[in-house]
């Protein structure tokens, strides 16, 4: 069971969450987001060159992900959260000041590095601070709302980008993007950061899903909870290399942690990759280019709702979580194969359910991590996600070339049905690949 303080200091929790929501909103209030592909094309880049930039972006995230997680565990998570938007801002400034393929490539390297600095550090800081305040049971709710704040930042960027571009062109759009990053860095300085364990703790029941593995049996009233305690970062000070090794060792030697890392990667990667192809899917429905942003706005509305449903999602058991993933797979496939603008309603439902499933998987991962390597382990999950996204990009490209966007979209969404099936049939582990089965540990319902 989770140990928590007898009295939650509400002002401290409010300060943490307000800072988190503001940071998430400003970090995604980047007016270049909806325009950078058009900007690259207007500069004269070919489709192949633009695709290569995406590869550079993903590779940068993989390269910096785990080392930055270890830095966050050794140095200061708040410091890395301050640096991340500054690094991204430098990349955006390069784009508009020196618009060329080399500048775009360096900008993507910086943007990927900035994203890696946030990944792991943010989740670890929020979990540790909530644990210190005796409010760790709120993690899934807080993270869901933070993701929603980020989505709202993207939506506002989409609304403002066109008018700002019309008024000042790409230089003004770039300047506004840099300003948002600078404001995010300023907000990050308000994050609290404590590594000391709380002094007074009393036992309380843990959240249903956030601290229990998906697929595990619900605890009975007359039995002790089998989940390990959520301990603060109390292993003492380690160097960067030792912290990195400790994080890798925790994933390698502890099946529950490894399972949680794999689940986060699989759940987050599939819809994260498919999101990049939704504009093409919209065009295939027969609408004009002017209507594509409206259809995409519908998807982001679904993502927003999904993030806000995290408190309700925490009550899902293993079968409920499997049903949620099944909904994602079926709705994604049906919405794509409908080949009609109305299909984007189904896609919005799917994206909302996928956002909820991702938040819940992350909450489970945080509940299973112990020791000083929390950000490192979380970054390993982020790296695994990035690798799977690249694999999904490659697979989608082959499928789309052979059968078209709609069929490729539907087949790629089938990954969620596979994971849902594994969740429902986990007792027969020998009937599924060992790597997939290991991602869904837990006793019978």
């Amino acid at each position: 069971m989770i140990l928590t303080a007898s009295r939650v200091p509400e002002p401290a929790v409010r300060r943490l969450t307000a800072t988190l929501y503001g940071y998430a909103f400003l970090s995604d209030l980047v007016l270049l987001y909806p325009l950078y592909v058009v900007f690259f094309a207007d500069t004269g880049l070919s489709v192949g060159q633009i695709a290569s930039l995406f590869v550079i972006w993903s590779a940068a995230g993989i390269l910096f992900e785990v080392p930055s997680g270890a830095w966050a565990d050794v140095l200061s998570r708040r410091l890395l959260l301050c640096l991340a938007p500054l690094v991204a801002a430098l990349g955006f400034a390069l784009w508009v000041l020196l618009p060329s393929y080399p500048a775009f490539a360096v900008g993507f390297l910086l943007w990927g590095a900035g994203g890696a600095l946030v990944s792991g550090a943010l989740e670890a800081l929020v979990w540790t601070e909530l644990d210190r305040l005796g409010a760790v049971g709120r993690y899934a709710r807080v993270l869901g709302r933070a993701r929603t704040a980020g989505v709202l930042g993207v939506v506002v960027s989409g609304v403002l980008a066109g008018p700002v571009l019309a008024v000042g062109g790409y230089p003004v759009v770039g300047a506004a993007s840099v300003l948002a990053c600078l404001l995010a860095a300023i907000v990050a300085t308000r994050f609290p950061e404590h590594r000391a364990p709380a002094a007074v703790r009393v036992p309380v029941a843990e959240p249903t899903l956030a601290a229990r593995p998906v697929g595990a049996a619900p605890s009975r009233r007359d039995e002790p909870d089998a989940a390990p305690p959520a301990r603060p970062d109390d292993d003492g000070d380690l160097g960067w290399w030792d912290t990195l090794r400790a994080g890798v060792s925790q994933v390698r030697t502890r099946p529950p942690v490894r399972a949680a890392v794999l689940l986060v990667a699989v759940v987050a990667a599939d819809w994260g990759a498919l999101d990049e192809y939704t504009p093409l899917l919209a065009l295939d429905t027969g609408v004009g280019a002017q209507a594509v942003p409206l259809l995409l706005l519908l998807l982001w509305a679904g993502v927003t709702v999904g993030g806000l449903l995290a408190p309700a999602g925490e009550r899902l058991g293993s079968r409920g979580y499997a049903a949620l993933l099944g909904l994602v797979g079926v709705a994604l496939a049906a919405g794509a194969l409908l080949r009609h603008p109305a299909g984007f309603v189904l896609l919005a439902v799917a994206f909302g359910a996928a956002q909820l499933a991702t938040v819940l998987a992350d909450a489970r991962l945080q509940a299973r991590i112990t020791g000083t390597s929390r950000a490192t382990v979380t970054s390993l999950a982020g790296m695994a996600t990035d690798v799977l996204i690249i694999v999904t990009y490659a697979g989608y490209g082959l499928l789309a070339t052979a059968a078209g966007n709609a069929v490729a979209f539907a087949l790629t969404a089938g990954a969620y049905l596979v994971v849902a099936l594994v969740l429902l049939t986990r007792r027969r582990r020998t009937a599924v690949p060992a790597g997939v089965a290991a991602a869904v540990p837990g006793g019978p319902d």
Side-chain angles (χ1 to χ4, degrees), residues 51-367:
S52 68
L53 290 175
F54 290 156
V55 173
I56 292 172
W57 188 16
S58 299
I62 294 172
L63 178 65
F64 294 112
E65 184 76 51
V66 177
S68 68
W71 293 333
D73 286 326
V74 172
L75 300 174
S76 166
R77 294 162 183 169
R78 177 173 57 199
L79 174 62
L80 264 63
L81 295 178
C82 292
L83 291 176
L86 298 180
V87 173
L90 179 59
F92 299 147
L94 272 176
W95 284 1
V96 295
L97 292 176
L98 302 169
S100 60
Y101 183 86
F104 296 150
V106 173
F108 266 123
L109 281 173
L110 292 171
W111 194 2
L117 291 176
V118 174
S119 177
L122 181 66
E123 294 87 349
L125 184 146
V126 173
W127 176 275
T128 302
E129 289 302 312
L130 288 175
D131 184 48
R132 182 183 68 87
L133 297 171
V136 74
R138 303 184 187 185
Y139 177 81
R141 175 186 304 180
V142 169
L143 183 65
R145 292 176 177 175
R147 299 279 176 86
T148 298
V151 170
L152 291 177
V154 173
V155 171
V156 174
S157 297
V159 172
L160 296 179
V164 173
L165 178 66
V167 171
Y170 290 116
V172 176
V173 171
S177 301
V178 170
L179 176 60
C181 292
L182 296 178
L183 292 175
I186 293 172
V187 170
T189 62
R190 290 185 48 81
F191 274 116
E193 184 174 22
H194 304 81
R195 300 295 180 95
V200 180
R201 297 173 181 269
V202 297
V204 298
E206 65 178 24
T208 302
L209 186 62
R212 182 177 296 116
V214 174
S219 300
R220 299 178 181 176
R221 293 182 182 273
D222 57 348
E223 293 179 352
D225 199 307
R231 294 192 294 269
D233 299 341
D234 55 3
D235 285 353
D237 294 332
L238 296 175
W240 177 85
W241 179 247
D242 289 335
T243 299
L244 180 61
R245 290 180 59 188
V248 173
S249 176
Q250 187 168 170
V251 174
R252 183 175 58 84
T253 61
R254 293 190 59 208
V257 177
R258 184 169 62 250
V261 166
L262 289 174
L263 189 64
V264 167
V266 173
V267 171
D270 208 43
W271 77 282
L274 288 176
D275 175 51
E276 300 296 334
Y277 297 101
T278 52
L280 299 178
L281 207 62
L283 291 174
D284 287 347
T285 65
V287 301
Q290 297 82 0
V292 170
L294 297 178
L295 292 179
L296 299 184
L297 188 61
L298 185 61
L299 300 186
W300 287 112
V303 174
T304 300
V305 173
L308 294 176
L309 288 176
E314 288 183 280
R315 295 192 288 270
L316 292 174
S318 61
R319 288 191 175 91
Y321 191 80
L324 181 66
L325 294 181
L327 172 63
V328 175
V330 171
L332 283 175
L337 294 175
L338 194 58
R339 301 174 189 267
H340 188 275
F344 271 71
V345 175
L346 290 173
L347 293 178
V349 172
F351 272 55
Q355 174 78 309
L356 175 58
T358 303
V359 170
L360 297 177
D362 180 82
R364 185 189 75 153
L365 172 62
Q366 296 302 321

Side-chain angles (χ1 to χ4, degrees), residues 406-419:
V407 173
F409 205 96
L411 291 176
T412 305
Y416 289 108
L417 299 180
V418 173
V419 177

